[in-house]
Amino acid sequence: MASQRPLLIPSPRIQGTEDLPYTPVFTDLLKPISINPKPSSGMDSSIQIENSSVPDSSSRRSVSSIQSKASGGSSVREVSFAELGSKPVRYGSRGADSEGFSMSQKEITDVDARLVYINDPEKTNERFEFAKNSIKTAKYTILTFLPRNLFEQFHRVAYIYFLVIAVLNQLPQLAVFGRGASILPLAFVLLVTAVKDVYEDWRRHNSDRIENNRLASVIVNGQFQQKKWKDIQVGEIIKVSANDTLPCDMVLLSTSDPTGVAYVQTINLDGESNLKTRYAKQETISKLPEEGKISGLIKCEKPNRNIYGFHAYMEIDGKRVSLGPSNIILRGCELKNTAWALGVAVYAGRETKAMLNNSGAPSKRSRLETYMNREIILLSLFLVGLCMVVSVCAAIWLRHNRDELDIIPFYRRKDFSEDEVGNYNYYGWGLEIFFTFLMSVIVFQIMIPISLYISMELVRVGQAYFMIRDTRMYDEASNSRFQCRALNINEDLGQIKYVFSDKTGTLTENKMEFQCASIWGIDYSGRDTRIQDEQVEYSIQDGKVLRPKMKVKVDPELLRLSKSGKDRIERKHVHDFFLALATCNTIVPLITETSDPHVRLLDYQGESPDEQALVYAAAAYGFMLIERTSGHIVIDVEGERQRFNVLGMHEFDSDRKRMSVILGCPDKTVKIFVKGADSSMFSVIDRSLNLNIVQETEGHIHSYSSIGLRTLVVGMRELSVPEFEQWQSNYETASNALIGRVALLRKVANSIESNLSILGASGIEDKLQHGVPEAIESLRTAGIKVWVLTGDKQQTAISIGYSSKLLTSKMTQIIINNNSKESCRKSLEDALIMSKKLTGSGATNITEGSAGAVISLLALIIDGTSLVYILDSELEEQLFELANKCTVVLCCRVAPLQKAGIVALIKNRTDDMTLAIGDGANDVSMIQMADVGIGISGQEGRQAVMASDFSMGQFRFLVPLLFVHGHWNYQRMGYMILYNFYRNAVFVLVLFWYALFTAFTLTTAITEWSSMLYSIIYTSLPTIVVGILDKDLSRMTLMKYPQLYGAGQRQECYNGKLFWVAMMDTLWQSVAIFFVPLLAYWGSNIDGSSMGDLWTIAVVVVVNIHLAMDVIRWTWITHSAIWGSIIATCICVIAIDSVPELPGYWAIFHLVKTGLFWLCLLGIIVGGMIPHFVVKIFVQYYRPSDVQIAREAEKFGNLGELGGGEIEMNPIFDPPRR
Amino acid sequence: MSSGGTNGASQASKKNSKKPKYSRFTQQDLPACKPILTPGWVITAFLSIGLVFIPIGLASLFASEHVVEIVDRYDEDCIPSNSASERLTYIQSTETNKTCIRNLIVPKKMKQPIYVYYQLDNFYQNHRRYVKSRSDLQLRSKEYERDTKTCEPERAHENEPIVPCGLVAWSLFNDTYGFSLNNKILQVNKKDIAWKSDKEHKFGSEVYPKNFQKGPLIGGGKLNESQPLSEQEDLIVWMRTAALPTFRKLYGKIEDDLEANEKITVVIQNNYNTYSFGGNKNLVLSTTSWIGGKNDFLGKAYIAVGGFCLFIVIGFILMYVIKPRPLGDPAFLSWNQNPDGHLN
């Protein structure tokens, strides 16, 4: 399993034949070679075209041999940067090709171009079309806060509804409630939200201010001046020092490195922590702006969010130089390992690629809330229905009594108090009906439960509190707790059906470790490996000790061999092997100081963590890479510095799947070292040489990969003089070719990478995070589909798939790996046919429901290039269909936006909930796209965390998060919503029934204070407490039986059926509450207030008892909330009835003295609850849900038998921590 | 709990650790009672409801049966036959003689106190415009005499506030009843017919009626202007507006026992106009019991609910016997019933 990433490889390049190429190999190998091509003017554009026409990118990265200024060479050749730099260098290691190319394929037209005059910001900005460099992420200013915040808040339809109600209530004709009382609830909600928003925005303001006021060194009138970031303009030249963050996107002009190389870390941009190389153009390298003014014109594309693409021309000194993504450094990157770099700002402020990619997280709304809104529409239809009934009846009543209205005592339309007899509060028949309608809307308003919105917020806060406080989701290694960043989608965690996971850093720790090696047919993977003693790592240099940053486990036997005498034949092979590991790579060694003045740390930086691991391993065995330039490599072999000249390099490409380096060794031989994937290496290894060794190695590789190691095969060959010369001239020809250069270069590489003798193979472990296989297995048992989307290569992805138990040997793999739309279509069709065959039924569509037909499990492995052709085309449908049949989907080499595309593929086509989990900035788009986004607060910066809804330390916490907290949250929230609907509807119906007995005039026997307090004091606390604390099942049960998670996926706690059942229940209970007293007191001398008190108490008691019946776990908090609410209600009723100015004065005291009151109350409670109770018992007994059975089992202790032998148990222990 | 936190050697790192503190509360592990509806519990519950409800139902039926009630609708009959077609004119006229004599037969022995009620039907004392048309402030204290803004259209008379204002007071019931038994007058005690709390706190002892029923349209009874509102018990009873359109209000108490088959003569002053809205007037004499007046509903409802519960008990017992499901039986789990369903 090969593991190289595409590498940036300097290759020698010889151009022009005017003087015979100097062949330094055999004469002066210790001198660096320099190559001297003549810059051929006018080539750039043609090369550009050629580049654009070749879709395969990976081999286009051959670039820029770096000229060394060492003067020892007798023939100094210069490298034409003008030419070389024109080849777009791909730097993202994660398959950004497609985007990069589509961008660079376009010629820049004048319309699309932005013209930047270097070092001339005035001219550049004279049309004021480019953004300044100040950024603004804050939403509000003091002036705009009120209107804008209110505007945003009123996006919630419910709020508008309550606003309308409150406004209506202000009309004198309609004033049902006191004016203040009706606005209070809404005002309270608005205020709380506004305070929260102010706080958040204040923090954003602060961070904006800090960011905008950072200082950068900018050339003004030929002088460097400190300038605040926000004042930087496009066109200005900026100097960035080492470890500085770049203030804007700028084209490199020159760097401290004489060859114009700068290293940048893009961790803030795409989450990759390794160094990337950027180049300044040859034309600008030597121009120091302090001395001679640089002037020129850059014509570049309009700002866009593609961080892997840049396309521009620079006109300088009358020449036209093309610029690519390797010439631009982006805002947010950090300059590393380069003393300084000069660049000209081309995009600033909000137009930088970083900011364009930072388009804030779209606010998410939980699925449950979406469904809830559907039911709220239903409820509003009920509401309208009720109001219609009331107003129609009122109309009939008015019509019927129209002749008597003038004087009847309880209506009396005529007002005789003035001389002129007028109408009193009467606006005509039509308007009266209309007003009745509006008044009934006001009276019945709590049918739409505004308190539910507040309760939901509170419950979510409570749930978040418990999630954050969960000791089982605390990551000791990173000292990070679980974090809830979004507070409105807690309950979505209980309904996840698809998990999209990043691989590196999410499933794995993103720490490659060299595990074992097979050298010359001998397997050195002894069990007694250990972290080696420190002394072997030392390398003394001017009195200072140099030590690699990472320690590697070593095999003592191999270590002894590598240190033993050189004469031994094994030693020679071991030597070559480690030499290959140390040289055949693109690692840049960085020397960093430590607190100990005598010790310096050697940090190997590179794009490929595998290579890093290999180089660390080589260092551990005594082959320490000390220095690497484009021309030579210095390696410390057992304390002895050896210098190797780099004569040539063939970078990695996905066709060859290997890379090679041609070295001039100190012993004046020329050797080629090749490393690559086993599949590609064994085809170029000369089997006739050491057949048995090749076979041995093959066996070892097989055993390595079977334990999930990433393997690489290393081979070498000594080149003879003619061979080398032949290669050199071929190489020259190929690299000068105008057409088909990529293919030619590949051919050259293939010709030299042949007949190799095998050296051995290495096994690298990308360590899985703790508990990942168990977590994935649990997720799968729970019926969650796990998709892995990775930027890594296919082989790596597959090997991780195996080690994380995502893939099993029982699965049939479908691999889609195409380069064109047509071939994609064909593979998809083939795969679909195959999947139908394999799943045993060609005709029926296999979904989970009919899974009985599944015979063979399918795994789909698809790469980013194919996805380019599939996504956003009609092939999507087929991919979806195929993916649906597959148990596992692995997407390799996908770009960040493709990750989002894949998530969208599922999200748009199914109703299922998706969850994306990732740790790097490249996962941000996916995290934001998915219904639930989870950021791993790991090694790769904070971007993913910032964009996520939840963040945590380890992948395995997903299991408790979903199965325990998600399940609980969903169950609690689902129940709470239904209960709130029920609770308010019961109350409204009681009011409604009464309206039918008041000549349809909406008098409420229940006082207006009780109406207001009903959903605030009387019944709110218990539902919130139950929403936060109730647990249907214990944590242990939920963890042990992931299948129980299905309750959320099947929407068992909230669905249309439950809603209707709840509404039937509501109807019955309201009838019981209303009509029992009505009939019991019919014709008696009961007064309205007493009756109202009875109804108030009855409805509160019934509603709370209803809740009490559904509570699953009674803690003291639940007890106190529920019984406390009833007591609080009584106290409130008593308090209201103690006000002499209210009509109901003292009614409750008279009421409780009568036996009838208590009989009514008891009758209401029992009569009202019986249907609910009976149905509940029946359902629990004869239609038990899984949750119900598990709960019984939990109580009666036969939980252990639940599995019934059918289920593989996957207990997730809390693993011991290191 | 993970032991990871506890074996961490360095105290310093522990201090910086963000590890959440363990408590049973934060781990949602509070001691809790988890009731489960076992068949035993269910049967016990329903059985006990049934056993409690049926006796209560019987008791209240029995109590209701013992209440003796005489209801006499007199509004129709108290219109002289010659005025029958012009009832409104008759009732609105101040000249006509509105005395009306009714004879009532006591069906059963009635023990004192016998409550005398008037019952109005189809009178919406809970009509929104009606119940709102009063000023409780004004009723309570003299200072708020002018606080009549809620009293439309009975707010002021010639710019002087009406006390008590509003439609409720304006429409005060003003029929009177005189009872006699065998030509001997039966005393009707009209004291303490209103709630004590109302007399003491709600209706001011300083507040005297003013400008009451001075308007062009007389709604009902007049008040003695020399008596404070707190002593106008008929008004206080009337002002406690009824819950339902059919209601009784206490007129007085007869504190003598009445024997069965005795004939009571009632002299009614039929003043109150219910004819304009088709309302009925009834005179009610009723004894009382622990559940109040005569009403069979609760008793029947209790017996019905209790009976239903016993029925349910039988039903459940049958079901448990015929188709038992052991609680917590894993065989009923969905994934055990359909193991393939969980493959993907």
Side-chain angles (χ1 to χ4, degrees), chain B residues 83 94 311:
Chain B
S83 311
T94 47
F311 174 74

Side-chain angles (χ1 to χ4, degrees), chain A residues 176 397 404 407-413 415-417 424-425 439 465-466 468-472 474 476 479 481 781 783 848 851-852 965 968 972 994 997-999 1001-1003 1028 1031 1043-1044 1076 1078-1088 1090-1091 1112-1115 1117 1140-1143 1145-1147 1150 1155-1156 1159-1160 1162-1163 1166 1170 1173-1174 1176-1178 1180-1182 1184 1186 1189 1191-1196 1198 1201-1203 1206-1207 1214 1217, chain B residues 1-2 4-5 16-22 25-39 42 45-46 49 53 56 60 92 117 122-124 126-132 136-137 140 152-154 156 167 170-171 195 197-198 201-202 216-217 240-249 272 276-277 290-291 295 297-298 302 305 308-309 312 316 319-320 323-325 327-330 332-336 339-344:
Chain A
V176 180
W397 190 88
E404 292 102 41
I407 54 161
I408 55 175
F410 54 86
Y411 194 94
R412 218 184 100 178
R413 187 165 63 189
D415 184 356
F416 297 94
S417 57
Y424 148 67
N425 266 356
M439 273 161 66
Y465 172 84
F466 284 121
I468 292 166
R469 290 304 182 107
D470 192 341
T471 48
R472 271 156 277 208
Y474 163 75
E476 204 127 356
N479 189 24
R481 287 182 183 187
T781 316
E848 280 163 283
H965 291 287
W968 286 343
R972 290 164 177 174
Y994 190 60
F997 290 88
T998 62
T1001 54
L1002 300 157
T1003 320
I1028 296 175
K1031 286 160 62 177
Q1043 295 95 329
L1044 292 171
V1076 168
L1078 180 90
L1079 295 172
Y1081 283 102
W1082 186 262
S1084 74
N1085 62 340
I1086 188 91
D1087 62 303
S1090 303
M1091 203 71 163
I1112 295 153
R1113 290 170 77 93
W1114 285 90
T1115 65
I1117 304 173
E1141 279 79 17
L1142 292 179
Y1145 178 66
W1146 227 243
H1150 289 278
L1156 197 55
L1159 277 191
C1160 280
L1162 182 66
V1166 172
I1170 278 181
F1173 198 46
V1174 169
K1176 193 179 159 91
I1177 292 166
F1178 190 81
Q1180 283 190 359
Y1181 203 75
Y1182 287 114
D1186 293 348
I1189 295 168
R1191 189 190 308 153
E1192 291 162 4
E1194 214 174 65
K1195 174 110 178 176
F1196 299 111
N1198 48 353
E1201 302 151 21
L1202 276 197
E1206 296 265 5
I1207 301 302
D1214 204 11
R1217 302 226 170 87
Chain B
M1 264 307 296
S2 122
N16 291 332
S17 168
K18 285 196 215 144
K19 180 165 182 156
K21 282 205 182 64
Y22 176 85
F25 176 70
T26 59
Q27 301 312 306
Q28 308 193 49
D29 211 15
L30 285 174
C33 157
K34 295 173 281 179
I36 286 218
L37 294 171
T38 60
V42 170
F46 277 105
I49 293 176
F53 265 51
I56 295 180
S60 37
Q92 282 172 347
Y117 300 99
N122 204 22
F123 188 104
Y124 285 88
N126 56 12
H127 195 286
R128 169 169 285 278
R129 10 192 323 153
Y130 182 82
V131 287
K132 296 267 171 191
D136 286 296
L137 277 175
R140 188 161 180 237
E152 297 279 18
E154 278 299 316
L167 284 180
W170 172 76
S171 61
W195 291 355
S197 56
D198 277 355
H201 302 287
K202 200 164 167 54
L217 194 65
R240 194 153 272 284
T241 52
L244 299 165
T246 296
F247 62 90
R248 290 174 185 179
K249 289 201 175 288
Y272 199 68
S276 62
F277 55 89
W290 62 271
I291 64 153
N295 190 327
F297 169 74
L298 261 191
Y302 265 75
V305 169
F308 180 73
C309 286
I312 290 275
F316 273 125
M319 281 170 165
Y320 289 142
K323 201 185 164 199
R325 175 178 77 85
L327 290 185
D329 185 352
F332 286 84
L333 286 168
S334 66
W335 66 85
N336 285 348
D340 294 331
H342 281 266
L343 274 177
N344 25 347

Side-chain angles (χ1 to χ4, degrees), chain A residues 154 156-171 174 182-183 186 438 441-442 445 450:
Chain A
F154 279 111
R156 275 192 157 160
V157 182
Y159 285 18
I160 294 181
Y161 168 77
F162 293 109
L163 181 72
V164 169
I165 299 280
V167 167
L168 280 182
N169 199 44
Q170 305 306 306
L171 299 177
L174 303 177
S182 60
I183 319 181
L186 182 64
L438 291 185
V441 172
I442 297 173
Q445 59 170 307
I450 191 175

